[in-house]
Each structure stands twice: as structure tokens, then as C-alpha cells.
Amino acid sequence: MHFYIRCVDKPGHLHVRKANRDDHLAYIKGGFAERIVAAGPTLDPDMEGMNGSVFIIEFDAIEDAREFAANDPYAKAGLFESVVIRPFKKVF
């Protein structure tokens, strides 16, 4: 089953995102890359700064998606203001 994960950064925390980016990417590449349908940062209106993350990713259960999100180095570093996880139905 696919899940949509939307993470919103805390305002003024771009430095936390930058400091943990390499660990975040290593975490993704270390066992989740093959499950990802789409993933990437959301951008500020100026298209320059990053302000969150979106994943559409496959897991067996929502608990697995929650565990994935909780163990992301960004989450562990306190980057996110909020995280929303919902089942996602891929149509196209």
C-alpha cells in the first residue's frame, strides 16, 4: 500500500535541514529507495528555500510508515513542525 507523508519544517530551521541533509539522504538510500514512488522537498514561494518534505512510499501498514517518518534524521533532529501520514491510492 502507498502512503503520503507530508512533513512541514519549523519556521527558521533551514539550518537544521542543511546540517542533517547527508544523514537524511543516507537513511533513504539505505533501505527505502526502492519503495519510493515520489519524494522531495517542498519549496518556498520564491522557489529557492526548502520548507518541508513529501514522500509517496510503499509500506505494508501505516505503522511502518510512521516508523519510517519517526526515524528520519530530520525528524530526530527536531526539524519538523508537523507530519501527516495518509494512505494514498495511485491512479496514474
Side-chain angles (χ1 to χ4, degrees):
M1 167 174 263
H2 292 110
F3 291 91
Y4 165 84
I5 302 173
R6 168 73 168 111
C7 307
V8 177
D9 294 1
K10 292 176 183 171
H13 278 65
L14 183 58
H15 65 285
V16 175
R17 176 175 280 276
K18 288 181 177 180
N20 290 278
R21 188 168 193 272
D22 289 343
D23 290 341
H24 165 76
L25 293 175
Y27 175 68
I28 302 305
K29 292 175 185 175
F32 299 101
E34 69 281 353
R35 298 172 181 240
I36 294 173
V37 175
T42 56
L43 303 176
D44 292 330
D46 64 7
M47 305 289 285
E48 295 294 323
M50 294 175 280
N51 59 28
S53 300
V54 171
F55 290 90
I56 298 176
I57 186 167
E58 185 176 351
F59 288 106
D60 292 334
I62 196 165
E63 292 81 11
D64 299 326
R66 289 180 182 136
E67 183 178 342
F68 164 80
N71 287 312
D72 185 325
Y74 283 161
K76 288 185 170 189
L79 175 61
F80 300 134
E81 177 178 76
S82 65
V83 176
V84 173
I85 302 172
R86 298 285 186 269
F88 178 83
K89 181 179 178 182
K90 183 178 177 185
V91 177
F92 292 102

